[in-house]
């Protein structure tokens, strides 16, 4: 690897993207040794935090929407058609994807830049004494957390990746195989980073955005939940680890008992810039504008995901699917329709009154004739869609802000905002605990946890009104009452939990990864394609191959760069 060169200009522009930094001429050079001061090491830690949001609209990872929402059937790729960012079309259809997909190589590279920043800062922090650097232990915890985050993303995307930490010599990097660790051992390495963070981090941080002990516990629980589902080499789920489920339950209990978090009164608060860093936010990426830099530290991961109307102008990606829209239907009892929700197509008829719906529909999906982002006079029109003949005329709203929002900024021809993007919310914690209890054979204990999330959803109606003050859709979302409106068997509880996760986190980028860890990706996606192909022609070639498509291939460039040390994933 090339020796890293750090410029004085870099320290003045820590929050710039990698591309911007490379565009600027060097104004001076700092040696590696000159960086080993408490002040400069703190800047290196900030640079590691900066990597969280240093993604790009062609390979986003702050939001995982192309990999978890598009591949999970929550959304269509969108844009101007299959040829617009065609690499994402290959993701969506599975059968056409290839190891030489250039954007997979770019994604791999960018995530390892994040790992590299954390490792470089850790090497420097480790050499300092606690006397010279009083924040040593805390900064070690922060960096272990950040590195764990980047490895978690690499793991769920590619399954087998080389694990490189701060103690490995750079000269040894070329000899480290992506198969040096087993699937389970690699999960353990990632979990170890979060365990170290739990030990080192304080309960509270003065700076917004710095991770704390509860954030580390939550991320550890998330990692363990993925690891608990034992996978074979062909990606089939072969069992579940009860010990890990018990640890997840304990970690979630500790977070709940801390009293630091609660569900927002209104679901909308999670997606409004005015509510950034609220009580539901466990770990979020922080963005900024008007911060002394030319364009601010904006969310470029969602730069393509705005409508094509005059106020925005680009680019119509991440379009909610008919399947997702129909999934928000409820029965006369106000409960989800697990197996029949897709029998009639509300998305095609645009009839949102004859059936009833979970209110989260209108927090998630922009529909023709309905207010966009809670502004009754700003009504989403079919003409705002970029390619309605291909992807129909809907839009994803959670990532968007209004054009008069304080966080909004155009970066022509794209859109940016400084609104936070949440990676872990308190509702995650409640549903992780519910899932652990169900899989431990204690399904009745999961009922109040799932009902907390459903109750908040049912009450989140105040902003969902048109200019006349009428509800945008016919809402009815009720609680589960075992023995009254449902028979709460283990199988029913599992369906309820999995459906709840889809509705709660729809379009946020993780649905596909849930399907993979549950071992149901092939059956779910092929069933989705069977119906959805009759609605949208761009999925005509779509097909999920079990034992292969659960993970992306290792990028061909990376295998070539490693001179064959890296081995390709199963099926590729």
């Amino acid at each position: 690897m090339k020796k890293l060169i750090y410029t004085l200009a870099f320290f003045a522009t820590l929050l710039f993207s990698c591309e911007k930094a490379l565009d600027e001429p060097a104004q001076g050079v700092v040696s590696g040794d000159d960086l080993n001061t408490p002040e400069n090491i703190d800047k290196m830690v900030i640079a590691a935090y900066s990597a969280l949001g240093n993604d790009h609209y062609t390979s986003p990872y702050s939001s995982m929407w192309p990999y978890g929402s598009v591949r999970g059937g929550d959304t269509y790729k969108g844009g101007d058609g299959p040829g617009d960012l065609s690499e994402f079309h290959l993701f969506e259809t599975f059968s056409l994807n290839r190891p030489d997909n250039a954007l997979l190589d770019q994604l791999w590279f960018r995530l390892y830049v994040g790992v590299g920043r954390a490792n470089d800062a850790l090497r420097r922090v480790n050499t300092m004494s606690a006397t010279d650097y009083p924040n040593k232990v805390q900064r070690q915890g922060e960096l272990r957390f950040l590195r764990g985050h980047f490895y978690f993303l690499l793991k769920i995307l590619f399954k087998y990746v080389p694990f490189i930490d701060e103690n490995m010599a750079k000269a040894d990097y070329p000899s480290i195989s992506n198969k040096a660790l087993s699937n389970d051992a690699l999960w353990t390495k990632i979990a170890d980073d979060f365990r170290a963070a739990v030990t080192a981090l304080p309960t509270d941080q003065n700076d917004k955005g710095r991770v704390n002990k509860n954030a580390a516990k939550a991320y550890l629980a998330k990692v363990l939940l993925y690891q608990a589902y034992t996978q074979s080499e062909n990606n089939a789920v072969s069992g579940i680890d009860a010990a890990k489920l018990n640890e997840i339950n304990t970690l979630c209990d500790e977070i709940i008992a801390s009293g630091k978090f609660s569900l927002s009164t209104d679901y909308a608060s999670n997606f409004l810039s005015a509510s950034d860093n609220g009580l539901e936010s466990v770990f979020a990426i922080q963005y900024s504008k008007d911060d002394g830099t030319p364009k601010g530290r904006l969310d470029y991961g969602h730069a393509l995901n705005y409508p094509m109307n005059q106020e925005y102008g680009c680019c119509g990606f991440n379009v909610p699917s008919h399947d997702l829209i129909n999934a928000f239907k409820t029965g006369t009892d106000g409960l989800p329709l697990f197996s029949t929700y897709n029998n009639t197509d509300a998305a095609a008829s645009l009839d949102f009154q004859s059936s009833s719906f979970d209110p989260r529909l209108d927090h998630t999906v922009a529909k023709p004739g309905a207010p966009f982002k809670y502004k009754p006079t700003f009504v989403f029109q079919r003409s705002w869609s970029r390619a309605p003949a291909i992807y129909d005329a809907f839009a994803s709203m959670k990532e968007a802000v209004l054009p008069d929002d304080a966080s909004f900024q155009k970066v022509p021809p794209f859109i940016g905002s400084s609104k936070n993007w949440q990676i872990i919310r308190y509702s995650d914690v409640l549903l992780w605990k519910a899932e652990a209890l169900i899989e431990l054979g204690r399904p009745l204990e999961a009922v109040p946890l799932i009902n907390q999330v459903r109750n908040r959803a049912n009450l989140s109606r105040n902003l969902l009104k048109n200019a006349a003050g009428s509800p945008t859709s016919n809402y009815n979302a009720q609680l589960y009452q075992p023995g009254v409106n449902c028979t709460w068997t283990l199988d029913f509880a599992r369906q309820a939990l999995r459906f709840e996760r889809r509705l709660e986190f729809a379009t946020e980028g993780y649905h596909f990864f849930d399907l993979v860890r549950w071992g149901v990706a092939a059956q779910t996606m092929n069933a989705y394609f069977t119906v959805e192909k009759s609605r949208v022609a761009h999925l005509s070639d779509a097909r999920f191959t079990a034992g292969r498509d659960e993970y992306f291939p290792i990028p061909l460039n990376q295998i070539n760069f490693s001179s064959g040390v890296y081995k390709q994933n199963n099926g590729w």
Side-chain angles (χ1 to χ4, degrees), residues 233-256:
E233 285 304 295
N234 67 353
N235 309 329
V237 172
S238 55
I240 192 161
D241 188 328
K244 289 183 175 59
L245 295 176
N246 279 311
E247 185 175 1
I248 292 161
N249 188 41
T250 298
L251 287 164
C252 292
D253 279 345
E254 291 173 0
I255 297 165
I256 294 167

Side-chain angles (χ1 to χ4, degrees), residues 476-495:
N476 183 22
Q478 300 301 321
L479 307 184
Y480 291 106
Q481 301 177 63
V484 178
N485 62 3
C486 63
T487 303
W488 197 260
T489 62
L490 184 63
D491 181 64
F492 186 94
R494 187 177 288 121
Q495 289 186 76

Side-chain angles (χ1 to χ4, degrees), residues 49 52 61-64 111 141-157 187-198 201 209 211-228 244 247-248 251-252 254-255 261 281-285 421-426 428-429 432 501 509-510 513 517:
Y49 271 103
L52 288 173
Y61 59 77
S62 54
S63 167
M64 301 285 278
L111 289 171
E142 292 176 40
L143 291 166
R144 294 288 294 272
F145 181 105
L146 295 173
R147 184 174 68 190
H149 169 69
F150 288 114
Y151 272 127
F152 174 82
L153 298 183
L154 283 160
K155 183 76 176 70
I156 62 175
L157 288 163
W187 275 127
T188 296
K189 280 284 192 182
I190 298 169
D192 286 346
D193 270 348
F194 291 108
R195 292 187 194 282
V198 169
L201 288 172
V211 294
N212 57 36
K213 189 180 295 291
N214 282 308
K217 287 181 178 180
Y219 219 134
L220 176 58
K222 185 176 185 177
V223 170
L224 293 174
L225 193 57
Y226 276 75
Q227 186 181 15
K244 289 183 175 59
E247 185 175 1
I248 292 161
L251 287 164
C252 292
E254 291 173 0
I255 297 165
F261 306 98
S281 180
V282 178
F283 170 47
I285 298 174
W421 185 247
Q422 295 192 62
I423 305 299
I424 299 176
R425 304 206 306 266
Y426 184 59
D428 257 320
V429 175
W432 291 336
R501 279 201 61 81
Y510 284 95
F513 306 109
R517 68 184 175 85

Side-chain angles (χ1 to χ4, degrees), residues 7-84:
T7 65
L8 290 174
F10 173 79
F11 286 122
T13 58
L14 279 174
L15 299 183
F16 272 50
S17 69
C18 296
E19 292 89 344
K20 181 65 180 175
L22 292 172
D23 286 341
E24 296 293 332
Q27 299 177 24
V29 176
V30 178
S31 72
D33 290 341
D34 288 339
L35 295 176
N36 295 329
T37 66
E39 180 183 7
N40 285 342
I41 288 176
D42 257 354
K43 292 174 181 176
M44 297 292 289
V45 175
I46 293 171
Y49 271 103
S50 179
L52 288 173
N54 268 1
D55 52 347
H56 190 262
Y57 56 83
T58 57
S59 54
Y61 59 77
S62 54
S63 167
M64 301 285 278
W65 68 266
Y67 328 114
S69 294
V70 172
R71 287 201 301 160
D74 275 4
T75 59
Y76 310 135
K77 173 186 75 71
D80 198 32
D84 187 7

